[in-house]
Amino acid sequence: MAQRSETIDETGIEQLDAVVIGAGFSGLYMNYSLRDRLGLDVRVYEAGDDVGGTWYWNRYPGARCDSESYIYCFTFDKDLMQEWEWSGKYPEQPEILRYLNHVADRFDLRRNIRFGTRVTAAHYDEGADRWLVETDTGERVSTRYLVTAIGCLSVGNVPNIPGLETFAGEWYHTGAWPHDGVDFTGKRVGVVGTGSSGVQSIPVIAKQAGHLWVFQRTAQYTIPARHHTVDKAFLDEIKKDYDAIMEKARWSYGGMPISPIERSALEVSDEERLEIYEKAWAEGGFAFFRGSFYDIATDRRANDTASEFIRSKIREVVKDPEVAEKLVPVDHPFASKRPLIDTEYFETYNRDNVTLVDIRHWPITEITPEGIRTEDGFYPLDIIVFATGFDAMTGPFNRIDVRGRGGQKLRDKWAHGPSAYLGIASAGFPNLFMITGPGSPSVLSNMPVSIEQHVDWITDLIAHMDAHGVRRAEPDPDAEEDWVAHVDAVAGKTMYLLADSWYLGANIPGKPRRFMPYAGGVGNYRKRCDEVAAAGYEGFVLT
Ligand SMILES: Cc1cc2nc3c(=O)[nH]c(=O)nc-3n(C[C@H](O)[C@H](O)[C@H](O)COP(=O)(O)OP(=O)(O)OC[C@H]3O[C@@H](n4cnc5c(N)ncnc54)[C@H](O)[C@@H]3O)c2cc1C
């Protein structure tokens, strides 16, 4: 049990052991782990008015998880794993939010969370080895440990289009959706963006809208989800062997219990390859990517076979050949961007009330009070939906004034791209730990698995520090540099550098290009983290 801090210092500032920023999956579990396992005095700050993070904010129509329900959850409590009943294969947003509320209630996690409170600044006081944390409600607290659970996809990206402020209708970003919903009935709706949120919301909005215009910059590869392929009997069966299944996920590539595939797409006959793709397509979901051939992700020729198969499916589904060609991705290989899964996405373009607008060749020039103007036309609209994604991974950090030793700003240190040892900590910022930070598997994985691994690892490090009287832990700059070079090198062996994606920061004008997540796999990463801990936190300077 750690030494507890005094509550208030002589200047009247509250003294805490730990501050956690964010109350999504990461913040909830970090709170539990530091508070209930280590007995620390913890405060959680959350900008939203309740728990849930991603699932609190993203309430757009069709919002759901692409990870299968039984792996998209916590595993730290066996009773919780057994008692929660998922309704099907991929839970929708309300169901995940219910789950996170249940977790918060079950472990009494709300009592030390300050909701509706955004952390604006965190400055390290070298003399005291403490962080001074400030919020937008004027709170100031001092803490020994600062943990960011601020999410990789929590800062929405609304494109800077001239005239948006003049638009007379309603507009929304999918990542900050109104809690009481939006009524599209009979309305002229424009959806801008065809990434994951666009692909999920477009089919649902199309069913309600009078007419829907989809403004597409990048055509996408997306795999049918096939929700119906999982039922209650299957989920009950999982629970009989749940521990082993999740252990497999922990040591897998993507945090999913999928066995590594030995087969190469280039070593089978054309007929056999087609049969395997057809089977995976019929099964749906990420299994197409991870369960058909091992080299889709690493070999361009193997990848071409998968990309071409999906293109053929698009041409098969979309009836108008001209529209189909616009929907066929040709400028990047499959899985060089975040793989998408969908429900009747391509089928939606067969509807009479849906029009695809190509803004790759004829970009949007302005928004007027009446609608959207592109280089080749004008589209009168009542509602605009920006499904334009997020300022991923570094965005939430850049919105906090984080200053470490010598007053160095994290923003400045990361001006040319983020740099963090194991994606957990950054040199010059002692006792600041990041859950799913840049340089960790994070967004390339089924995230609850990665989140639990980070929380457990950070908890062990803090327990180690307390047990050994360590006041400061921060990465050795050389270890950090080596790790960042390793992250770059691993990304270089994949398809990921072949597309302009948010993984690289390419969706945000002016954002430095660096492949931010770690593509070496969840299992390999876990092994490295375990080795670092076993070697007395090798690569960290413990003072
Ligand atoms: C639409 C969508 C679909 C997704 N689907 C999947 C999926 O299928 N599988 C998967 O593994 N992952 C998916 N993800 C990723 C998802 O973000 C993670 O799975 C997981 O929810 C992350 O949890 P988190 O707690 O780390 O971050 P978040 O859930 O993003 O929570 C971070 C919280 O921190 C708060 N915060 C940030 N900055 C501050 C601040 N300065 N002060 C106070 N509070 C702050 C935010 O308000 C937010 O509530 C999806 C994400 C999105 C957006």
Side-chain angles (χ1 to χ4, degrees):
M1 174 94 52
Q3 192 78 41
R4 286 183 141 227
S5 305
E6 288 298 315
T7 321
I8 306 278
D9 79 353
E10 61 282 0
T11 61
I13 291 181
E14 195 174 358
Q15 307 286 298
L16 298 160
D17 295 319
V19 163
V20 176
I21 315 175
F25 266 96
S26 300
L28 288 175
Y29 183 39
M30 195 79 240
N31 185 20
Y32 170 80
S33 194
L34 294 181
R35 192 192 73 180
D36 296 359
R37 286 187 181 139
L38 299 189
L40 300 190
D41 196 1
V42 181
R43 167 81 41 80
V44 181
Y45 289 109
E46 167 54 60
D49 287 333
D50 206 343
V51 299
T54 291
W55 308 102
Y56 171 86
W57 296 106
N58 288 262
R59 300 176 189 230
Y60 58 86
R64 63 162 91 216
C65 189
D66 292 346
S67 300
E68 292 193 35
S69 55
Y70 68 94
I71 53 167
Y72 195 72
C73 53
F74 290 118
T75 64
F76 68 85
D77 186 281
K78 293 196 192 320
D79 292 340
L80 173 66
M81 288 166 81
Q82 291 297 327
E83 78 199 12
W84 185 262
E85 304 267 354
W86 293 107
S87 68
K89 193 173 183 183
Y90 304 102
E92 287 187 282
Q93 171 272 331
E95 190 172 359
I96 307 172
L97 189 58
R98 268 200 305 281
Y99 170 75
L100 291 170
N101 273 280
H102 170 73
V103 172
D105 292 338
R106 196 182 190 290
F107 298 97
D108 188 19
L109 295 175
R110 283 191 178 81
R111 74 179 138 88
N112 56 324
I113 304 179
R114 290 266 209 282
F115 292 110
T117 308
R118 183 172 288 282
V119 169
T120 51
H123 295 176
Y124 189 66
D125 174 350
E126 276 178 70
D129 283 319
R130 299 184 72 84
W131 284 92
L132 183 66
V133 174
E134 291 183 19
T135 74
D136 63 353
T137 56
E139 262 190 66
R140 297 173 85 217
V141 296
S142 160
T143 178
R144 270 193 79 190
Y145 304 110
L146 179 62
V147 184
T148 58
I150 51 185
C152 296
L153 304 170
S154 60
V155 171
N157 167 44
V158 178
N160 188 12
I161 303 172
L164 174 58
E165 68 291 349
T166 69
F167 184 56
E170 304 158 42
W171 69 265
Y172 306 96
H173 185 273
T174 49
W177 202 255
H179 288 197
D180 38 10
V182 176
D183 184 7
F184 293 104
T185 317
K187 298 274 171 61
R188 298 169 301 173
V189 183
V191 173
V192 181
T194 52
S196 187
S197 306
V199 161
Q200 288 186 342
S201 59
I202 285 163
V204 185
I205 296 174
K207 286 185 185 145
Q208 294 173 25
H211 198 95
L212 171 65
W213 285 266
V214 177
F215 295 85
Q216 172 190 272
R217 189 170 61 182
T218 308
Q220 300 283 2
Y221 300 93
T222 136
I223 313 291
R226 316 274 188 221
H227 297 286
H228 55 273
T229 49
V230 165
D231 59 17
K232 174 141 174 31
F234 171 85
L235 292 170
D236 287 346
E237 206 49 39
I238 292 283
K239 286 190 178 172
K240 292 187 187 150
D241 202 18
Y242 219 163
D243 287 344
I245 289 169
M246 292 316 295
E247 190 59 9
K248 187 170 175 183
R250 285 183 198 110
W251 294 97
S252 67
Y253 180 84
M256 300 182 185
I258 299 174
S259 300
I261 297 288
E262 307 286 331
R263 211 166 40 203
S264 160
L266 304 173
E267 283 167 0
V268 293
S269 67
D270 290 352
E271 294 73 28
E272 205 180 329
R273 192 185 310 111
L274 187 61
E275 200 181 310
I276 289 165
Y277 282 143
E278 288 287 2
K279 193 163 163 282
W281 188 261
E283 191 186 326
F286 282 132
F288 182 89
F289 176 39
R290 291 276 165 225
S292 44
F293 299 104
Y294 79 85
D295 46 359
I296 291 178
T298 51
D299 186 301
R300 188 63 197 259
R301 286 166 313 147
N303 185 287
D304 280 346
T305 66
S307 301
E308 202 42 51
F309 176 82
I310 301 172
R311 290 184 195 120
S312 73
K313 287 292 178 193
I314 299 170
R315 292 183 177 113
E316 210 173 283
V317 172
V318 180
K319 292 195 183 120
D320 181 332
E322 245 179 67
V323 177
E325 282 321 303
K326 280 191 203 163
L327 288 165
V328 165
V330 287
D331 61 348
H332 65 283
F334 170 56
S336 55
K337 287 169 167 274
R338 184 190 185 279
L340 307 181
I341 65 176
D342 72 274
T343 300
E344 297 180 357
Y345 176 66
F346 293 117
E347 289 82 348
T348 297
Y349 293 94
N350 293 332
R351 295 176 65 99
D352 292 338
N353 72 332
V354 176
T355 306
L356 182 64
V357 183
D358 175 356
I359 55 168
R360 161 65 46 98
H361 297 102
W362 297 279
I364 295 177
T365 51
E366 64 167 341
I367 294 178
T368 73
E370 288 80 33
I372 292 182
R373 189 181 311 284
T374 70
E375 280 184 7
D376 78 337
F378 181 73
Y379 302 88
L381 298 169
D382 302 308
I383 303 176
I384 301 174
V385 174
F386 290 103
T388 39
F390 300 89
D391 183 354
M393 303 199 75
T394 50
F397 285 100
N398 286 336
R399 277 152 186 81
I400 306 173
D401 176 18
V402 181
R403 296 187 198 185
R405 277 191 297 105
Q408 186 188 19
K409 293 184 181 176
L410 188 65
R411 238 178 250 154
D412 291 345
K413 180 176 172 186
W414 287 7
H416 302 292
S419 165
Y421 180 44
L422 301 172
I424 293 180
S426 196
F429 299 83
N431 301 357
L432 166 59
F433 305 118
M434 307 167 187
I435 304 175
T436 66
S440 73
S442 57
V443 289
L444 298 183
S445 68
N446 169 44
M447 290 197 70
V449 168
S450 292
I451 288 168
E452 282 195 328
Q453 186 250 339
H454 265 185
V455 169
D456 292 341
W457 199 90
I458 292 166
T459 304
D460 288 348
L461 171 56
I462 289 177
H464 175 91
M465 291 173 70
D466 281 343
H468 294 85
V470 175
R471 289 175 66 82
R472 269 185 199 190
E474 68 173 296
D476 173 341
D478 290 340
E480 182 173 309
E481 207 175 297
D482 288 351
W483 180 255
V484 172
H486 174 60
V487 172
D488 285 346
V490 171
K493 294 183 189 144
T494 70
M495 296 291 127
Y496 289 124
L497 304 187
L498 301 178
D500 284 339
S501 69
W502 56 259
Y503 292 141
L504 279 157
N507 61 328
I508 305 293
K511 188 164 170 168
R513 292 278 177 122
R514 167 165 284 166
F515 187 75
M516 294 181 284
Y518 176 57
V522 160
N524 291 334
Y525 175 80
R526 177 181 294 269
K527 184 163 169 280
R528 183 69 201 127
C529 289
D530 287 354
E531 287 165 358
V532 164
Y537 295 96
E538 185 186 14
F540 275 86
V541 181
L542 304 181
T543 316

